[in-house]
């Protein structure tokens, strides 16, 4: 897998001086060069895991509307009581550790954008699932297929996002039973980065996988991961048929389910963070284990979305200390299991890209990174608790992700970076601005933020006094204008469109 690289681009003016800014080639994924943070001591992790095991043994997990899942558990030796399944301590962990891959590769369609998920790899993907979009010109509105395509294109253009994501926004102008076809096709057509498929019905999951068979070839899909499916548990402690059937469809096809308990403390889980962590751990383990019962060795990601809420209003809150601690603890629990980890990214309850959005997004992303997350969904664009996908927010988040690229690469220490040549050249009391070492390194020494304004007040004022969100508005429009679809084989494109047309013609439009 390739690592981030840089190459020169045309000079840009800043502070009335021309300088060469490095253009960043899109990295396929990151290799973490900094350690994860051990938030809890071993006895604390033992207590959380023991609590999860007790929940599974005494309370259990319900599988509603999926008799085949119940039969898989029964054959595996779990205790099935109606739709509820209970597990002896250690049973679920044994299933997970027996066959679950510690790492796997998800392929992109051009052969150059495969990502590794698990181990020390880190993959950033845009936000997922918003019914609304927002930009400064048109404001808040329902998402459309045009909006969806716009975000796929911008994700393809961003060097800081490695993955095209899934339902970046809901294209509500397309019938609900057919829009999954248009979304998967948009990911294929306008990008070559890996992507996610539909999970909102088993047949939509199957359609997503079938489109990948057309794109990659059936034999390749059977042997390799080419698509992910984001599976949310119906917390507390329920897998409804829609989700478990979709989970099993992905696993059966050797594709990766991303198993994500969706818990707001005090609503879908205990108000106390430790109890909610134990619940999340229990639910995620059961989902991961079910993929292995469906197809041993199938790739899978242990996921987490655990946040706090305002107990006065009932609204979810983000960037708070409790979910930060949860991510750090969940990271350690996932590492103990030896499974890839998914966490949320740049999360905020703010309605626009303001200072609240910046604080909450940063304080949501940091613990995910320090906790060891391998796949970070919602890394760019998230607003209003996930209800809105923001154009300006997307651009601001991407700039921040570029900083995280630099951070995760760690501190290089070699003959050049230790800079003895510079000390030899510059006498005590003199400056380093024009020395040979500075001139050799100045284009790559520091992360050069696209949207940060470092000019003087007078220069900023004379340029229009534009705040960051206004600068981001200009940036996303320019990014879209420069987009070009990556090449696709015309025969494959025709086959995809033929499949989509046949599937659409086979059913009447449904709008709910």
């Amino acid at each position: 897998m390739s690592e981030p690289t840089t190459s020169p681009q045309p000079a840009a003016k800043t502070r009335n001086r021309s300088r060469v800014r490095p253009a960043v080639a899109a990295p396929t994924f990151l290799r973490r060069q900094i350690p994860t943070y051990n938030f809890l001591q071993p006895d604390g992790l033992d207590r959380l895991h023991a609590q999860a095991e007790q929940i599974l043994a005494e309370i259990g997990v319900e599988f509603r509307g999926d008799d085949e899942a119940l039969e898989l558990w029964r054959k595996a030796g779990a205790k099935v009581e109606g739709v509820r399944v209970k597990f002896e301590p250690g049973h679920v962990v044994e299933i997970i550790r027996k066959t679950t891959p510690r790492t796997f590769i998800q392929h992109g369609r051009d052969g150059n954008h495969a990502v590794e998920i698990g181990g020390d790899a880190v993959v950033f993907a845009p936000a997922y699932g918003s019914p609304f979009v927002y930009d400064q010109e048109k404001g808040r509105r329902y998402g459309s297929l045009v909006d969806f395509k716009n975000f796929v294109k911008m994700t393809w253009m961003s060097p800081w996002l490695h993955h095209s994501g899934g339902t970046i926004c809901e294209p509500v102008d397309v019938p609900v039973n057919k829009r999954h076809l248009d979304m998967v096709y948009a990911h294929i057509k306008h990008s070559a980065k890996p992507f996610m498929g539909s999970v909102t019905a088993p047949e939509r999951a199957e359609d997503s996988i079938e489109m990948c068979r057309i794109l990659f070839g059936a034999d390749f899909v059977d042997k390799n991961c080419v698509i992910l499916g984001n599976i949310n548990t119906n917390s507390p402690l329920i897998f409804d048929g829609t989700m478990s059937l979709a989970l099993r469809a992905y696993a059966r096809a050797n594709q990766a389910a991303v198993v994500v308990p969706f818990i707001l403390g005090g609503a879908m889980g205990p108000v106390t963070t430790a109890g909610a962590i134990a619940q999340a751990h229990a639910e995620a383990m059961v989902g991961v284990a079910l993929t292995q019962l469906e197809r041993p060795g199938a790739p899978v990601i242990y996921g987490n979305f655990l946040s706090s809420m305002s107990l006065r209003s009932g609204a979810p809150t983000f960037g708070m200390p409790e979910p930060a601690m949860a991510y750090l603890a969940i990271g350690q629990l996932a590492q103990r299991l030896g499974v890839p980890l998914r966490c949320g990214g740049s999360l905020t309850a703010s309605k626009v890209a303001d200072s609240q959005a910046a604080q909450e997004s940063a304080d949501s992303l940091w613990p995910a990174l320090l906790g060891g997350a391998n796949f970070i969904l919602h890394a760019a664009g998230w607003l209003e608790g996930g209800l809105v996908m923001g154009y300006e927010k997307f651009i601001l988040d991407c700039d921040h992700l570029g900083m995280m690229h630099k951070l995760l690469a760690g501190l290089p220490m070699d003959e050049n970076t230790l800079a003895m040549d510079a000390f030899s050249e510059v006498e005590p009391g003199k400056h380093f601005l024009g020395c040979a070492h500075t001139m050799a390194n100045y284009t790559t020494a520091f992360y050069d933020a696209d949207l940060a304004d470092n000019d003087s007040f007078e220069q900023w004022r004379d340029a229009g006094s534009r705040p960051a969100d206004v600068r981001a508005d200009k940036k996303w429009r320019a990014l879209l204008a420069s987009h070009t679809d990556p090449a696709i084989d015309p025969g494959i494109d025709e086959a995809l469109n033929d499949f989509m047309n046949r599937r659409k013609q086979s059913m009447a439009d449904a709008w709910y």
Side-chain angles (χ1 to χ4, degrees), residues 6-14 17-24 438-446 448:
T6 60
S7 58
Q9 72 173 18
K13 286 189 175 181
T14 299
R17 290 182 290 120
S18 293
R19 63 185 177 126
V20 177
R21 294 184 58 175
V24 182
T438 298
M439 297 306 293
N441 289 277
Y442 83 98
T443 60
T444 57
F446 304 123
D448 197 358

Side-chain angles (χ1 to χ4, degrees), residues 3 29-37 119-122 335 367-374 376 407-410:
E3 300 295 332
F29 63 93
L30 297 177
R31 289 285 186 194
R32 171 190 297 276
Q33 301 297 326
I34 64 173
T36 57
Y37 179 63
D120 61 0
V122 180
Q335 289 170 37
L369 293 175
L370 292 177
N374 304 111
I376 298 185
L407 176 74
L408 289 173

Side-chain angles (χ1 to χ4, degrees), residues 400-432:
H400 188 219
L401 294 177
M403 301 177 197
M404 299 303 102
H405 277 229
K406 192 84 170 185
L407 176 74
L408 289 173
L411 179 65
M413 285 188 284
D414 55 26
E415 185 175 348
N416 175 60
T417 60
L418 290 172
M420 195 62 211
D421 287 350
F423 289 110
S424 298
E425 179 181 350
V426 178
E427 296 181 4
K430 303 297 184 179
H431 64 73
F432 290 78

Side-chain angles (χ1 to χ4, degrees), residues 182-223:
D182 294 293
M183 288 190 286
V184 170
Y185 180 71
H187 282 298
I188 293 170
K189 180 71 172 178
H190 303 305
S191 173
K193 293 179 180 180
F195 56 89
M196 306 175 79
S198 179
V199 297
T200 52
E203 62 272 17
R204 296 170 200 165
E206 296 284 3
D207 283 346
S208 302
I209 297 165
E210 188 59 32
M211 291 179 74
C212 288
R213 294 189 178 110
I214 294 170
L215 177 63
F216 290 93
D219 289 343
F220 189 87
V221 171
D222 187 59
K223 296 178 175 64

Side-chain angles (χ1 to χ4, degrees), residues 51 252 457:
Q51 177 72 1
R252 187 165 55 252
F457 172 79

Side-chain angles (χ1 to χ4, degrees), residues 379-392:
W382 173 291
L383 282 172
E384 202 177 325
L387 290 175
V388 174
M389 185 72 183
Y391 278 82
E392 294 82 20

